[in-house]
Amino acid sequence: MATEQPCYTLITAPSDTEQPSEQQLKQDLERGDIRAKTEALKKCIHSILAGEKIPGILMTVIRFVLPLQDHTIKKLLLIFWEIVPKTLPDGKLMQEMILVCDAYRKDLQHPNEYIRGSTLRFLCKLKEPELLEPLMPAIQACLEHRHSYVRRNAVMAVFTIYRNFDFLIPDAPELIATFLEGEQDMSCRRNAFMMLIHADQERALSYLSSCIEQVNTFGDILQLVIVELIYKVCHANPSERSRFIRCIYNLLNSSSAAVRYEAAGTLVTLSSAPTAVRAAATAYIEIILKESDNNVKLIVLDRLVALKEHPSHERVLQELVMDILRILATPDLEVRKKTLELAMDLVTSRTVEELVLVLKKEVTKTHNTVEHEDVGKYRQLLVRTLHSCSIKFPDVSATVIPLLTEFLSDSNELAAADVLVFLREAVQRFDNLRPLVLEQLLEAYPIIGSVRVHRAATWILGEFAATADDVQSVLTQVRQALGELPLVEDERRRAAGQATDEEPSQQQQTVQKLVTADGTYATQSAFSAAPSAKKADAERPPLRKYLMSGDFFVASVLAATVAKLALRYCRLVTAPVKQHRLRAEAMLIIASMMHLGRSGLPDKAISDDDLERLQLCLRVVAEPNPLLEKIFLSACKDALNSMLKVKAETEAPRTAKERGVLAVQPDAPIAFLQLSGRNELAGSEDVFEASLSQAVGAVKRSAADFSSSKLSKVTQLTGFSDPVYAEAYVNVNQYDIVLDVLVVNQTSDTLQNCCLELATLGDLKLVEKPSPLVLGPKDFANIKANVKVASTENAIIFGNIVYDVTGAGNDRNVVVLNDIHIDIMDYIVPASCSDQEFRQMWAEFEWENKVSVNTTLTDLNEYLTHLMTSTNMRCLTPEKGLSGDSGFLAANLYARSIFGEDALANLSVEKPFNKPDAPVIGHIRIRAKSQGMALSLGDKISQVQKKARAAAAPAGA
């Protein structure tokens, strides 16, 4: 099989420069000065990397450039010799390379250590043993050089040559082992030890055993290699664990964060003992606290989350929850969010009180910092965490509620709204907390500054004021928040009073002398102005302020609350006088708001819906009947109870699924790993062996298994009858795509300069140009190409294979490749968010794409399932909201990309109720932060619909 020509160097060439002629390059290299020769050599390198042939340039460089001692020329020559073709078309080494080999030998004996070291690094990249063989004595001599830079590169050169061509230096492990015993420089010891790990593991182990007590004094680069060796040895031979586990424990105290991280990961892999897990988790926490890079913090937090997934490890981590909370000192919001989620999963009844105390301190800190967006979002996170604590552990609710009610007066409406969501759930679930919640709400009611928060607080007070005293207290607070009644007369009186106050003030004139720019005096007259509208608005009570601004939705909520209070008071108090007095007060409040809405004083008049709602509440108070009393006093509470129950049922399975919690029956059989078949080893560590067995068909595979195997990602690029057959395995990583292309020569000719030429369409970028190769008759080879991904959107990779046929006089042959479509679904994963977050993102995102539903499916729920499967999105609408036989269906869907981009979708579909065979119609609205994601997701849906219709067409025909 032909091998790929190696390429280690990537150099960006300016795209707008002209390609120089071979004659011009030769002239500059022969007769130019040092500067001209340097520029000419750079142009040669660019041309060769671009695939250009410059056959006569090699001898020119050897004659006129190679003897020069300029350091820049030396650097460029190392790149030039790396990329220039060194063999003839038949595979034999060029005669000119003997001269180059002699130049290598002289550079290996050069007095300048930099030239020696750079040459040794270059020799690591050579793949021609004929060139390396004469240089072996000089390379070995460099192992004894006085400078560490030369010695460490000499070790790497020996390692690479031994790995590729062991016949050139068969005693390399013994040579390096001797070198390691006498070496003092840490970088040289690291390279030597790494070679022994891969070349002769027994020698590496004997060296480690001889100095295992001094491992803590080694440098971090050597310690990392030691951790790698211990992992490999213990993984291959578990009986060696007791021999090296102490060394791993010692490395947890290394001064290097990288060593501690690797040692912690190795320790957990080697041992499941609680002490080992505790030591590893403590090391992870210390790394997070000491490292400043937020990306490092998030990566290590992920390791802690992975530890938590193991049931036995979770018990150990539960004892460290207070240490984990120290990470909240990090100002980054994403780190704090992940830390709070982890802490909530680990908190137990023993640690919940300490957790609440820490969260209280964090809440206090947010009040003392400068208000900005992240502080508000962090405060909201703290509120939600305290909410979860209180629901999970009701015993701490009594200490949490007074703290959270302080947020009701907060300027951040999101945190205050979350507090009310918590209070509503707490007061509904826990009867013993109702007096405390009502007391705290009544205290905070006058200082609430948001209309939305006031509305929700008013509803809670009206729904859960259960005693006569509570009813009186709530009505008192409502009267104070509304001000003097009736509202219209009081507003007119205020306006008249302000006008009366204005008259004398307008007569007062103040005279002030000012100095102008030219030094002269000027007299300015000023009249004291009347109180501004803003000042008058600030003097109004909060609920009246909302009404005067035209927000009469709060009036409808207030009217319903007052009606509930009046009806409940009449049930609790039997004295007719007290009943009539309270009902009259309630009717006065409602009638005053109705009158104000139609008086023309507010900025906006009351809407017909709000007016009708107020009239209904007024009639309920004036003429109560059993049906309306039941609706007002019982139905609302029942609806809240049902909503909370549905919410709990919806979130519980989702949380269990995200955490990977599996329900196991008591009588379920136990799976012993030693007795399992090959197809049951999906969870074993040797994933390579399992995937290889799947690929060659050693185990029976279902269709679902095949879709997840590597074979399903192979794309055929050419036809079976083409002279060159090609297929590509597309491996999509997070930020790049690796194409592993198999190229097969199906002819009886030798294909020269067979090259894979690729181009991209979309937000992709080809990282390197694959090197050309020679394919013998019926030969095959693998070519790898890397493509960088910049954002989440559909893209296409296209290109062709070009080659020359030996002895043919015609032009180059071209085989056009099929397009490789990079699917946006490779980057989108299902995610979940709250309804409030969904609405907030829906309002913020500016890019929208509307896709019409065009399908042959006749069932609404079936189409929703089909849409979720094809787009990797998760339905946020609960199942109970989608049940029933209605002819309409509306659902919200959500997903996130691996780049952190959010994708929202709203499905609105319908079908004629009296036509059961009619297809579903409607539309899907997609919103995203970037245009590319919104368009690509819409294109994906349209493409899936088109395929489904095409598949259904033959069946229909």
PDB file of all heavy atoms in Angstrom, residues 251-269:
ATOM      1  N   LEU A 251       1.429  12.799  44.016  1.00  0.00           N
ATOM      2  CA  LEU A 251       1.358  13.765  42.918  1.00  0.00           C
ATOM      3  C   LEU A 251       0.136  14.675  43.034  1.00  0.00           C
ATOM      4  O   LEU A 251       0.064  15.696  42.355  1.00  0.00           O
ATOM      5  CB  LEU A 251       1.339  13.028  41.572  1.00  0.00           C
ATOM      6  CG  LEU A 251       2.682  12.386  41.170  1.00  0.00           C
ATOM      7  CD1 LEU A 251       2.528  11.588  39.887  1.00  0.00           C
ATOM      8  CD2 LEU A 251       3.761  13.432  41.008  1.00  0.00           C
ATOM      9  N   LEU A 252      -0.829  14.306  43.876  1.00  0.00           N
ATOM     10  CA  LEU A 252      -1.966  15.207  44.109  1.00  0.00           C
ATOM     11  C   LEU A 252      -1.528  16.487  44.816  1.00  0.00           C
ATOM     12  O   LEU A 252      -2.270  17.474  44.827  1.00  0.00           O
ATOM     13  CB  LEU A 252      -3.036  14.504  44.942  1.00  0.00           C
ATOM     14  CG  LEU A 252      -3.851  13.413  44.247  1.00  0.00           C
ATOM     15  CD1 LEU A 252      -4.797  12.763  45.232  1.00  0.00           C
ATOM     16  CD2 LEU A 252      -4.626  13.981  43.070  1.00  0.00           C
ATOM     17  N   ASN A 253      -0.340  16.466  45.410  1.00  0.00           N
ATOM     18  CA  ASN A 253       0.198  17.655  46.089  1.00  0.00           C
ATOM     19  C   ASN A 253       1.212  18.398  45.238  1.00  0.00           C
ATOM     20  O   ASN A 253       1.961  19.233  45.757  1.00  0.00           O
ATOM     21  CB  ASN A 253       0.844  17.240  47.420  1.00  0.00           C
ATOM     22  CG  ASN A 253      -0.132  16.563  48.351  1.00  0.00           C
ATOM     23  OD1 ASN A 253      -1.278  17.005  48.465  1.00  0.00           O
ATOM     24  ND2 ASN A 253       0.288  15.491  49.007  1.00  0.00           N
ATOM     25  N   SER A 254       1.265  18.087  43.943  1.00  0.00           N
ATOM     26  CA  SER A 254       2.228  18.752  43.063  1.00  0.00           C
ATOM     27  C   SER A 254       1.926  20.248  42.957  1.00  0.00           C
ATOM     28  O   SER A 254       0.788  20.695  43.144  1.00  0.00           O
ATOM     29  CB  SER A 254       2.177  18.113  41.677  1.00  0.00           C
ATOM     30  OG  SER A 254       2.936  18.847  40.747  1.00  0.00           O
ATOM     31  N   SER A 255       2.954  21.000  42.655  1.00  0.00           N
ATOM     32  CA  SER A 255       2.770  22.451  42.490  1.00  0.00           C
ATOM     33  C   SER A 255       2.102  22.793  41.167  1.00  0.00           C
ATOM     34  O   SER A 255       1.645  23.920  40.967  1.00  0.00           O
ATOM     35  CB  SER A 255       4.127  23.163  42.584  1.00  0.00           C
ATOM     36  OG  SER A 255       5.007  22.651  41.582  1.00  0.00           O
ATOM     37  N   SER A 256       2.051  21.854  40.244  1.00  0.00           N
ATOM     38  CA  SER A 256       1.464  22.089  38.926  1.00  0.00           C
ATOM     39  C   SER A 256       0.001  21.665  38.915  1.00  0.00           C
ATOM     40  O   SER A 256      -0.340  20.540  39.306  1.00  0.00           O
ATOM     41  CB  SER A 256       2.234  21.321  37.851  1.00  0.00           C
ATOM     42  OG  SER A 256       1.525  21.302  36.641  1.00  0.00           O
ATOM     43  N   ALA A 257      -0.864  22.556  38.466  1.00  0.00           N
ATOM     44  CA  ALA A 257      -2.292  22.231  38.382  1.00  0.00           C
ATOM     45  C   ALA A 257      -2.545  21.128  37.358  1.00  0.00           C
ATOM     46  O   ALA A 257      -3.424  20.277  37.549  1.00  0.00           O
ATOM     47  CB  ALA A 257      -3.085  23.481  38.019  1.00  0.00           C
ATOM     48  N   ALA A 258      -1.778  21.116  36.264  1.00  0.00           N
ATOM     49  CA  ALA A 258      -1.959  20.082  35.238  1.00  0.00           C
ATOM     50  C   ALA A 258      -1.649  18.700  35.802  1.00  0.00           C
ATOM     51  O   ALA A 258      -2.362  17.724  35.530  1.00  0.00           O
ATOM     52  CB  ALA A 258      -1.069  20.381  34.036  1.00  0.00           C
ATOM     53  N   VAL A 259      -0.596  18.609  36.614  1.00  0.00           N
ATOM     54  CA  VAL A 259      -0.236  17.313  37.207  1.00  0.00           C
ATOM     55  C   VAL A 259      -1.317  16.871  38.188  1.00  0.00           C
ATOM     56  O   VAL A 259      -1.733  15.699  38.202  1.00  0.00           O
ATOM     57  CB  VAL A 259       1.132  17.416  37.910  1.00  0.00           C
ATOM     58  CG1 VAL A 259       1.447  16.126  38.641  1.00  0.00           C
ATOM     59  CG2 VAL A 259       2.223  17.737  36.908  1.00  0.00           C
ATOM     60  N   ARG A 260      -1.806  17.795  39.004  1.00  0.00           N
ATOM     61  CA  ARG A 260      -2.850  17.439  39.967  1.00  0.00           C
ATOM     62  C   ARG A 260      -4.117  16.969  39.248  1.00  0.00           C
ATOM     63  O   ARG A 260      -4.782  16.020  39.685  1.00  0.00           O
ATOM     64  CB  ARG A 260      -3.170  18.635  40.872  1.00  0.00           C
ATOM     65  CG  ARG A 260      -2.019  19.055  41.759  1.00  0.00           C
ATOM     66  CD  ARG A 260      -2.499  19.895  42.938  1.00  0.00           C
ATOM     67  NE  ARG A 260      -3.236  21.075  42.526  1.00  0.00           N
ATOM     68  CZ  ARG A 260      -2.683  22.235  42.210  1.00  0.00           C
ATOM     69  NH1 ARG A 260      -1.359  22.379  42.266  1.00  0.00           N
ATOM     70  NH2 ARG A 260      -3.417  23.281  41.851  1.00  0.00           N
ATOM     71  N   TYR A 261      -4.446  17.645  38.154  1.00  0.00           N
ATOM     72  CA  TYR A 261      -5.644  17.273  37.390  1.00  0.00           C
ATOM     73  C   TYR A 261      -5.509  15.863  36.829  1.00  0.00           C
ATOM     74  O   TYR A 261      -6.415  15.031  36.957  1.00  0.00           O
ATOM     75  CB  TYR A 261      -5.847  18.289  36.271  1.00  0.00           C
ATOM     76  CG  TYR A 261      -6.998  17.981  35.343  1.00  0.00           C
ATOM     77  CD1 TYR A 261      -8.302  18.258  35.716  1.00  0.00           C
ATOM     78  CD2 TYR A 261      -6.771  17.402  34.099  1.00  0.00           C
ATOM     79  CE1 TYR A 261      -9.358  17.976  34.870  1.00  0.00           C
ATOM     80  CE2 TYR A 261      -7.820  17.117  33.246  1.00  0.00           C
ATOM     81  CZ  TYR A 261      -9.115  17.409  33.635  1.00  0.00           C
ATOM     82  OH  TYR A 261     -10.156  17.114  32.799  1.00  0.00           O
ATOM     83  N   GLU A 262      -4.365  15.571  36.191  1.00  0.00           N
ATOM     84  CA  GLU A 262      -4.165  14.245  35.610  1.00  0.00           C
ATOM     85  C   GLU A 262      -4.065  13.183  36.697  1.00  0.00           C
ATOM     86  O   GLU A 262      -4.583  12.074  36.541  1.00  0.00           O
ATOM     87  CB  GLU A 262      -2.893  14.247  34.747  1.00  0.00           C
ATOM     88  CG  GLU A 262      -2.975  15.110  33.504  1.00  0.00           C
ATOM     89  CD  GLU A 262      -4.015  14.610  32.522  1.00  0.00           C
ATOM     90  OE1 GLU A 262      -4.351  13.414  32.581  1.00  0.00           O
ATOM     91  OE2 GLU A 262      -4.501  15.405  31.714  1.00  0.00           O
ATOM     92  N   ALA A 263      -3.415  13.509  37.807  1.00  0.00           N
ATOM     93  CA  ALA A 263      -3.286  12.543  38.888  1.00  0.00           C
ATOM     94  C   ALA A 263      -4.645  12.223  39.498  1.00  0.00           C
ATOM     95  O   ALA A 263      -4.942  11.058  39.823  1.00  0.00           O
ATOM     96  CB  ALA A 263      -2.335  13.083  39.960  1.00  0.00           C
ATOM     97  N   ALA A 264      -5.499  13.237  39.655  1.00  0.00           N
ATOM     98  CA  ALA A 264      -6.839  13.005  40.208  1.00  0.00           C
ATOM     99  C   ALA A 264      -7.654  12.108  39.281  1.00  0.00           C
ATOM    100  O   ALA A 264      -8.336  11.176  39.732  1.00  0.00           O
ATOM    101  CB  ALA A 264      -7.547  14.335  40.428  1.00  0.00           C
ATOM    102  N   GLY A 265      -7.604  12.382  37.981  1.00  0.00           N
ATOM    103  CA  GLY A 265      -8.329  11.534  37.035  1.00  0.00           C
ATOM    104  C   GLY A 265      -7.818  10.104  37.029  1.00  0.00           C
ATOM    105  O   GLY A 265      -8.603   9.147  36.976  1.00  0.00           O
ATOM    106  N   THR A 266      -6.495   9.928  37.119  1.00  0.00           N
ATOM    107  CA  THR A 266      -5.922   8.584  37.155  1.00  0.00           C
ATOM    108  C   THR A 266      -6.298   7.860  38.441  1.00  0.00           C
ATOM    109  O   THR A 266      -6.618   6.667  38.436  1.00  0.00           O
ATOM    110  CB  THR A 266      -4.391   8.675  37.027  1.00  0.00           C
ATOM    111  OG1 THR A 266      -4.063   9.361  35.822  1.00  0.00           O
ATOM    112  CG2 THR A 266      -3.765   7.300  37.011  1.00  0.00           C
ATOM    113  N   LEU A 267      -6.285   8.586  39.561  1.00  0.00           N
ATOM    114  CA  LEU A 267      -6.601   7.978  40.852  1.00  0.00           C
ATOM    115  C   LEU A 267      -8.025   7.431  40.869  1.00  0.00           C
ATOM    116  O   LEU A 267      -8.278   6.310  41.352  1.00  0.00           O
ATOM    117  CB  LEU A 267      -6.416   9.016  41.964  1.00  0.00           C
ATOM    118  CG  LEU A 267      -6.646   8.544  43.397  1.00  0.00           C
ATOM    119  CD1 LEU A 267      -5.681   7.416  43.751  1.00  0.00           C
ATOM    120  CD2 LEU A 267      -6.495   9.694  44.375  1.00  0.00           C
ATOM    121  N   VAL A 268      -8.966   8.187  40.343  1.00  0.00           N
ATOM    122  CA  VAL A 268     -10.363   7.723  40.313  1.00  0.00           C
ATOM    123  C   VAL A 268     -10.503   6.505  39.406  1.00  0.00           C
ATOM    124  O   VAL A 268     -11.298   5.608  39.666  1.00  0.00           O
ATOM    125  CB  VAL A 268     -11.284   8.870  39.855  1.00  0.00           C
ATOM    126  CG1 VAL A 268     -12.707   8.375  39.675  1.00  0.00           C
ATOM    127  CG2 VAL A 268     -11.264   9.992  40.874  1.00  0.00           C
ATOM    128  N   THR A 269      -9.716   6.479  38.318  1.00  0.00           N
ATOM    129  CA  THR A 269      -9.781   5.338  37.407  1.00  0.00           C
ATOM    130  C   THR A 269      -9.221   4.079  38.049  1.00  0.00           C
ATOM    131  O   THR A 269      -9.736   2.975  37.844  1.00  0.00           O
ATOM    132  CB  THR A 269      -8.986   5.647  36.123  1.00  0.00           C
ATOM    133  OG1 THR A 269      -9.447   6.884  35.589  1.00  0.00           O
ATOM    134  CG2 THR A 269      -9.168   4.565  35.084  1.00  0.00           C
TER     135      THR A 269
END
